[in-house]
Amino acid sequence: MSTTRLPRLDAITGAPLIGTWASSLLYMAELRQAMYYFHTFKKDNWKLKSYVALAFAIDTISAVADYAFVYLYTITHAGDLVYQTKQNWAVPLYVISTTCVAFLVQSFLAFLYWRFTKNTIFICFLSVLILGALGGGFSAGLTVTLFPAYKDRNKTRICAAVMIVTQVSADLIIAGALFLELMKAKSLFKGERPVNNMLNRLVLHTIQTGTATAVIAVLALIIYLIDDETNIPVAIMYTSGRVYVLSMLVNLNTRDSSGRPQNWTTSSGQRGTVRVAHGTTYIFSTLQFSLTEPHSSNSESIRSSAWLPTLQPPASISEIRPPEIEMVPTDTKPVPEI
């Protein structure tokens, strides 16, 4: 059979094939992080574990759709000129599943930020962006289902642009908001090397979480707007779902098995409190870093948190300590995680 009439296979099947290679590497890292989480943090609340399992399961479906897309083009329907001019069922499945993964991870981070700041107005604005990305993704998937031909791909321009722009905006805003809060917390611990080391690591995770997915989405959007008949943007976005779930798992796994941030230990091996001269108590517990001023009212309390499914009230201060840092075990019980 003559292949002169075949479409550009490098762009249609070659780019997605390379994308599945990159996706496979990231999925192995994701699987390793998921196994570590479920093996190490067995005491985490079942709701949190179910949420993580759901995100991982949907991302697995997305990865399977990636492989199905390439296999159907290169093996099952190799040389089929009619089939090569259409997008198969794996494309809308991949788009919708990846959109759901992004929605779950962004909602997770937004909820944690709200539990920390109680800034309802900001979270409402963020929710609009997250829901906009979800709606854009479902619209793009439905459009591809109704109009699978590559010549009709321009019909998805608007919904695809809405999905990517709102998704990128949400990623960057969440990362920026968490970054600012962590920097505020860091300014309160000048000279406290162990705490600053922990906060530096959390700041790095925050930057990586927002910028990685944003760069992937923006690059895919630019290439798509230049040439909407190539599958290079699809190949680039193959890694998006893996990066989202990895960012959530890495944040959750940045603890030791007792739930404390890694590299933060006490001599007794228990949950630790740092108590300083002016009577401020800093509590480090399950995914939680919080501080309150004992002489402030509830409305004036200062809190800083890092990847925190729960908020834990600080231990009471009964006396003013000398100007030194002392590690003491807390006697408070953590609020059940959600």
Side-chain angles (χ1 to χ4, degrees):
M1 177 184 294
S2 173
T3 60
T4 56
R5 295 176 55 193
L6 283 174
R8 297 173 299 166
L9 295 182
D10 286 342
I12 292 181
T13 58
L17 176 62
I18 296 175
T20 58
W21 298 343
S23 175
S24 297
L25 293 175
L26 290 173
Y27 186 78
M28 288 300 101
E30 178 186 338
L31 180 61
R32 185 173 181 272
Q33 289 289 332
M35 292 174 63
Y36 177 83
Y37 171 74
F38 288 108
H39 176 73
T40 306
F41 302 103
K42 297 178 181 179
K43 294 183 180 180
D44 275 2
N45 187 278
W46 69 269
K47 295 179 182 178
L48 176 60
K49 290 190 290 186
S50 299
Y51 198 89
V52 174
L54 178 62
F56 179 76
I58 296 177
D59 193 50
T60 300
I61 294 174
S62 177
V64 171
D66 300 344
Y67 299 131
F69 175 88
V70 174
Y71 188 88
L72 289 172
Y73 271 120
T74 59
I75 304 299
T76 306
H77 297 279
D80 187 337
L81 300 181
V82 176
Y83 193 87
Q84 297 287 344
T85 60
K86 297 180 180 180
Q87 302 172 90
N88 58 37
W89 57 266
V91 175
L93 176 60
Y94 146 76
V95 171
I96 292 175
S97 57
T98 301
T99 301
C100 290
V101 169
F103 171 77
L104 290 173
V105 175
Q106 289 175 338
S107 299
F108 173 79
L109 294 175
F111 175 72
L112 298 184
Y113 182 82
W114 178 80
R115 286 293 303 271
F116 166 40
T117 64
K118 301 297 182 181
N119 190 339
T120 305
I121 296 177
F122 176 80
I123 293 301
C124 287
F125 169 72
L126 199 57
S127 298
V128 171
L129 294 177
I130 295 173
L131 290 174
L134 181 67
F138 271 86
S139 298
L142 180 61
T143 302
V144 172
T145 302
L146 297 176
F147 304 97
Y150 279 101
K151 64 182 180 65
D152 294 328
R153 217 177 193 186
N154 61 331
K155 297 181 183 295
T156 63
R157 275 179 173 264
I158 296 178
C159 51
V162 169
M163 176 190 71
I164 293 179
V165 169
T166 52
Q167 202 171 86
V168 168
S169 300
D171 288 338
L172 294 179
I173 290 174
I174 291 173
L178 291 173
F179 173 80
L180 290 176
E181 294 300 328
L182 288 172
M183 293 305 294
K184 289 179 183 178
K186 187 177 177 181
S187 67
L188 298 173
F189 288 95
K190 293 180 179 179
E192 310 303 330
R193 191 168 183 178
V195 180
N196 275 291
N197 287 340
M198 182 193 69
L199 290 174
N200 285 335
R201 185 170 62 253
L202 293 174
V203 167
L204 179 62
H205 284 324
T206 300
I207 295 174
Q208 291 173 337
T209 298
T211 57
T213 52
V215 168
I216 291 172
V218 169
L219 183 60
L221 178 61
I222 292 174
I223 297 176
Y224 175 74
L225 294 177
I226 294 174
D227 185 359
D228 58 15
E229 290 190 13
T230 179
N231 277 330
I232 295 177
V234 175
I236 293 174
M237 292 294 288
Y238 273 180
T239 60
S240 179
R242 263 90 291 159
V243 173
Y244 270 115
V245 179
L246 267 174
S247 67
M248 180 169 66
L249 288 170
V250 168
N251 286 329
L252 288 170
N253 290 340
T254 310
R255 299 173 287 167
D256 61 22
S257 58
S258 64
R260 297 187 304 271
Q262 289 180 4
N263 298 333
W264 182 262
T265 58
T266 64
S267 58
S268 64
Q270 299 175 341
R271 184 177 290 106
T273 298
V274 178
R275 186 172 293 166
V276 295
H278 52 76
T280 302
T281 300
Y282 305 97
I283 296 179
F284 297 83
S285 61
T286 303
L287 293 180
Q288 166 80 14
F289 162 67
S290 66
L291 68 91
T292 59
E293 294 286 353
H295 302 296
S296 303
S297 64
N298 291 336
S299 61
E300 297 172 342
S301 296
I302 306 173
R303 284 186 176 175
S304 293
S305 158
W307 332 121
L308 12 133
T310 60
L311 290 177
Q312 178 176 338
S316 60
I317 308 290
S318 58
E319 56 180 321
I320 302 300
R321 296 286 176 178
E324 60 183 16
I325 295 178
E326 177 186 355
M327 301 298 299
V328 297
T330 61
D331 55 1
T332 58
K333 296 182 178 180
V335 178
E337 298 177 2
I338 63 171

